[in-house]
Amino acid sequence: MSVASNWVIDPTHSEVSFKVKHLVISTVTGYFREFEGSAEAETEDFQGAKVKFSAKIDSIDTNQKDRDAHLKSADFFDAENHPNLTFEGHIQGDELVGEISIRGTKKPITLAVDFGGVAGDPYGNTKAGFEISGKLNRKEFGLTWSAVTEAGSVVVSDQVRLLLSVQLVKQA
């Protein structure tokens, strides 16, 4: 019988970002600056590990205050009524499979996961690293604001790429 180990995200060594095409010609990158998550693993390779994650919508940062305010508004995430984005799932092979909830809408999602391994840090902590990526259609979660330029270009694409670099620290 194996014993489960508990891990939590180390926010100082992790990054949660998203990328969206703007005007079809360039990409805007945004970050969630406040997030937390955990994993419960019964194996050293994290296969079958149960994963939970939450990001605060008010922590969105696209390096432009007006755009951030628009993203937090009812046109997009509606942070006032839906303060968090959440995910629950498990690692299966090289995928993170589960359900993501955005703006009160929960949908299944499968993300690619690249397990970087486990290492000890200089302070005696055991760390595990992951690169996680995937995509979703924002409109499926009620983020339906849209605009078209005079020339007919879409201002914001429907597809959003998710990119997470996560370091977990093992709990004693």
Side-chain angles (χ1 to χ4, degrees):
M1 180 175 161
S2 60
V3 176
S5 56
N6 293 306
W7 302 74
V8 296
I9 288 180
D10 177 352
T12 60
H13 295 103
S14 299
E15 183 177 271
V16 178
S17 66
F18 57 91
K19 294 183 177 286
V20 180
K21 284 286 190 184
H22 183 253
L23 299 175
V24 191
I25 60 168
S26 65
T27 301
V28 170
T29 301
Y31 300 89
F32 289 99
R33 298 296 186 191
E34 294 179 43
F35 51 86
E36 60 187 24
S38 63
E40 182 181 304
E42 292 190 15
T43 62
E44 289 183 18
D45 65 0
F46 284 81
Q47 285 303 305
K50 296 175 188 168
V51 176
K52 291 184 179 182
F53 174 80
S54 178
K56 289 188 178 182
I57 300 301
D58 267 339
S59 74
I60 285 176
D61 179 1
T62 63
N63 203 30
Q64 211 281 326
K65 288 184 190 300
D66 290 341
R67 179 174 47 225
D68 296 347
H70 192 204
L71 287 171
K72 296 172 192 179
S73 78
D75 280 348
F76 284 98
F77 285 99
D78 193 12
E80 185 176 335
N81 294 306
H82 305 284
N84 296 300
L85 168 158
T86 61
F87 171 87
E88 281 194 44
H90 64 279
I91 295 175
Q92 181 179 314
D94 59 358
E95 294 179 330
L96 183 55
V97 179
E99 289 189 320
I100 189 168
S101 180
I102 301 172
R103 197 182 161 132
T105 299
K106 187 183 282 189
K107 297 226 176 242
I109 191 168
T110 300
L111 304 169
V113 63
D114 180 18
F115 175 48
V118 176
D121 74 7
Y123 308 102
N125 298 305
T126 302
K127 303 285 188 93
F130 300 86
E131 297 295 323
I132 302 164
S133 61
K135 61 185 175 183
L136 58 80
N137 183 322
R138 66 183 178 88
K139 288 188 174 177
E140 291 180 2
F141 295 91
L143 284 73
T144 58
W145 181 89
S146 191
V148 177
T149 66
E150 196 174 295
S153 294
V154 174
V155 175
V156 180
S157 74
D158 295 347
Q159 183 175 291
V160 179
R161 289 187 296 145
L162 308 173
L163 301 160
L164 294 80
S165 181
V166 175
Q167 191 174 105
L168 300 176
V169 60
K170 190 174 186 178
Q171 301 300 283

